[in-house]
Amino acid sequence: MAFSASINNSALLILEKVITIGVSFLTGVFLARVAGAEAFGQFSYILSFVGLFTPLCVMGLNNIVTKYIVKYPDNSHYYVKSSLIVRAFGALVSVVLGIAIILLANKQTALQPQIIQLLLMQSAQVFFVFEYYFLANNLLLPALKIRLSILILSAVLKLLVIYSSASISLLILLHGLSYIGIAAGYIFLYKRCKADKKSKRAVQSHTMLAMFHRGKWLLLSGIASVIYLKIDQVMLANYYSAANVGVYAAAAKLSEFWYVFPVLIANAFNPQLIKKYKSDKVLFEQFILQFLSVLVACAFTITLLTYLFSDIVIHWVYGAEFEASIAIVNIHIFATIFIFQRAILSKWLIIKGLYKYSLWTQGIGAIINICLNMAFIPKWGGIGAAWASLIAYMAASYLSLFLSKELRPFAKLMTIALCTWPVKTIQLLHQQRLTRT
């Protein structure tokens, strides 16, 4: 029964993620085509800048809260309250730190009011912790209905704003209101479930400190991850105009559109990975190699098709104004080869209990990305940012693994998959065919 519920929850989360990405992508494309590169660049820059502070609203507590709720169901409200306070403190730090940075070091002064507004409204993500209570208690469907309804409503309103005026201020307001709307929906659902009546224990400081310490490595890993994924557009905006950011963001969106799919696939196969690791280490390694080979095959196919038809895709999706995006996407798309394999690496690290290496590898990627962007962007603009991102992704997801004895076995599997993926993929397809017959 529990396993069946887990499968259903996974399927619902995958469906929700696909819908969310699709809606976000279509909204971005509509903004780019109707309002042009400058408006699209301004919107993308604000989201990227504010997104750098998102991990502080989470504090690395998502999976930790779920574990506490499952382990101590009678005290679930106590742990939810504790995590809320920790996350509220993180959100406060994110707002103060974000405002300080934009006032002292940000060159896009015209966008400062919108950035501050979204930083404040993003803090509502503190209440997204209720989602993990719903997940632990098989109440995911009502929560997803709330989230999808608000996201779709927000997207429709954004389309109307783009069509009528393309006001960046209104678009940012709607984006921020979606956070507040989801938070309000979660609070209503939590109250309706009477979850807040389950425990009257007063929150204690030692519990909050324990939660903070348990989540600190995941928090740091999350910060490193968003830096090496989003810093390129933020740094580009400090050297060039918003239109240049828009041209770069258009190319990046075409690449990043694919990034979620290997994560969803890895999540779906995670139970099998855990089972194989516990039963037979050799079979586990073979399964990992097959998995990597298939993902490399998918990544190479996407990369090749994008590279060959990038001019057609850019003109058809974004229009002639974004022609400079063609050269950028032809570089940026090669990152999918490493991002796809990163999805399996993340699961492998968790199964092996090597949590600290998630921070270590992503921290390397973040540092390399910042340094290369500082060197490349002033000389080559968006092209330089694309090269910086590609090298950083390759370093974080592949090259850095060779620096650690614990990670070299996975680096070896990645190397084999990169060199032999056509043969391994054909063998796997042949095995599947024999199994069916």
Side-chain angles (χ1 to χ4, degrees):
M1 187 76 169
F3 180 75
S4 176
S6 177
I7 294 295
N8 289 335
N9 285 342
S10 297
L12 287 170
L13 286 170
I14 289 171
L15 178 62
E16 185 262 346
K17 197 70 175 177
V18 170
I19 292 172
T20 302
I21 289 170
V23 168
S24 175
F25 182 76
L26 290 174
T27 305
V29 168
F30 192 65
L31 175 62
R33 290 196 71 96
V34 173
E38 185 170 355
F40 183 58
Q42 290 175 339
F43 186 69
S44 299
Y45 167 73
I46 294 169
L47 295 190
S48 294
F49 185 91
V50 174
L52 293 174
F53 301 92
T54 301
L56 289 168
C57 297
V58 178
M59 296 296 287
L61 293 180
N62 289 348
N63 293 324
I64 291 169
V65 172
T66 304
K67 185 182 289 187
Y68 275 116
I69 292 169
V70 171
K71 193 173 182 179
Y72 308 107
D74 292 336
N75 287 308
S76 58
H77 183 57
Y78 171 75
Y79 290 109
V80 168
K81 283 193 298 183
S82 300
S83 64
L84 271 174
I85 295 171
V86 175
R87 287 165 68 119
F89 174 76
L92 178 62
V93 172
S94 77
V95 171
V96 173
L97 185 61
I99 291 175
I101 291 173
I102 63 171
L103 293 178
L104 296 174
N106 185 266
K107 294 183 180 179
Q108 295 288 333
T109 53
L111 301 177
Q112 285 179 357
Q114 291 90 338
I115 293 172
I116 293 172
Q117 179 188 55
L118 190 56
L119 273 170
L120 290 167
M121 299 177 88
Q122 179 183 252
S123 299
Q125 288 186 92
V126 166
F127 296 99
F128 288 15
V129 70
F130 292 132
E131 181 180 325
Y132 298 91
Y133 172 84
F134 303 143
L135 184 61
N137 289 277
N138 295 321
L139 295 168
L140 188 63
L141 185 58
L144 285 184
K145 286 180 179 178
I146 290 170
R147 190 158 72 233
L148 281 177
S149 298
I150 291 170
L151 288 174
I152 291 171
L153 175 62
S154 175
V156 170
L157 292 174
K158 284 178 184 176
L159 293 176
L160 291 173
V161 168
I162 293 166
Y163 184 75
S164 61
S165 64
S167 167
I168 297 299
S169 296
L170 279 176
L171 288 174
I172 294 300
L173 176 63
L174 288 171
H175 197 83
L177 284 173
S178 68
Y179 294 131
I180 294 172
I182 293 170
Y186 282 177
I187 293 169
F188 172 78
L189 182 59
Y190 190 75
K191 290 282 188 181
R192 197 177 70 177
C193 296
K194 298 182 179 180
D196 56 324
K197 307 296 182 185
K198 289 188 176 181
S199 175
K200 295 296 184 181
R201 284 177 63 187
V203 174
Q204 297 177 326
S205 59
H206 70 84
T207 302
M208 292 186 289
L209 285 172
M211 281 189 159
F212 171 76
H213 284 299
R214 283 179 178 270
K216 64 184 177 183
W217 296 116
L218 292 173
L219 167 63
L220 293 172
S221 181
I223 291 171
S225 177
V226 296
I227 286 174
Y228 93 88
L229 286 171
K230 295 180 180 292
I231 199 67
D232 45 5
Q233 293 181 38
V234 174
M235 294 183 71
L236 190 62
N238 282 291
Y239 287 99
Y240 294 92
S241 67
N244 290 96
V245 178
V247 168
Y248 179 84
K253 264 192 173 294
L254 282 179
S255 295
E256 293 167 0
F257 175 81
W258 303 102
Y259 291 179
V260 71
F261 293 103
V263 175
L264 297 177
I265 294 168
N267 287 342
F269 279 91
N270 195 45
Q272 276 187 262
L273 289 170
I274 295 171
K275 186 177 178 181
K276 288 184 183 295
Y277 180 73
K278 289 179 177 178
S279 62
D280 192 321
K281 300 295 189 296
V282 175
L283 283 177
F284 172 72
E285 188 172 294
Q286 291 174 354
F287 188 73
I288 288 283
L289 181 56
Q290 288 180 334
F291 211 159
L292 286 171
S293 299
V294 171
L295 288 181
V296 170
C298 293
F300 265 109
T301 302
I302 292 166
T303 300
L304 182 62
L305 290 174
T306 303
Y307 187 85
L308 292 175
F309 301 105
S310 57
D311 54 341
I312 297 172
V313 173
I314 290 291
H315 283 117
W316 183 70
V317 174
Y318 291 108
E321 186 181 356
F322 290 84
E323 188 165 353
S325 300
I326 297 170
I328 296 171
V329 78
N330 283 344
I331 299 166
H332 204 283
I333 192 64
F334 279 89
T336 57
I337 296 168
F338 305 103
I339 294 294
F340 272 45
Q341 294 181 93
R342 177 85 202 188
I344 307 303
L345 172 61
S346 297
K347 300 301 179 188
W348 185 85
L349 290 173
I350 293 170
I351 290 170
K352 291 276 190 176
L354 302 172
Y355 305 106
K356 65 180 181 181
Y357 288 104
S358 177
L359 169 61
W360 189 71
T361 55
Q362 294 191 108
I364 289 174
I367 292 168
I368 290 174
N369 206 359
I370 291 171
C371 292
L372 291 181
N373 273 315
M374 289 174 67
F376 291 176
I377 287 177
K379 294 181 180 179
W380 301 301
I383 296 287
W387 277 112
S389 294
L390 173 57
I391 295 169
Y393 294 164
M394 181 170 63
S397 302
Y398 181 53
L399 297 179
S400 63
L401 307 187
F402 290 98
L403 301 176
S404 167
K405 182 175 69 175
E406 287 87 351
L407 302 183
R408 280 180 205 137
F410 196 88
K412 180 183 175 182
L413 292 175
M414 286 182 69
T415 304
I416 295 170
L418 285 166
C419 295
T420 65
W421 64 268
V423 175
K424 294 291 183 183
T425 305
I426 291 170
Q427 286 177 347
L428 182 61
L429 291 173
H430 182 63
Q431 289 173 7
Q432 291 294 319
R433 185 178 177 185
L434 290 175
T435 304
R436 288 173 185 170
T437 56

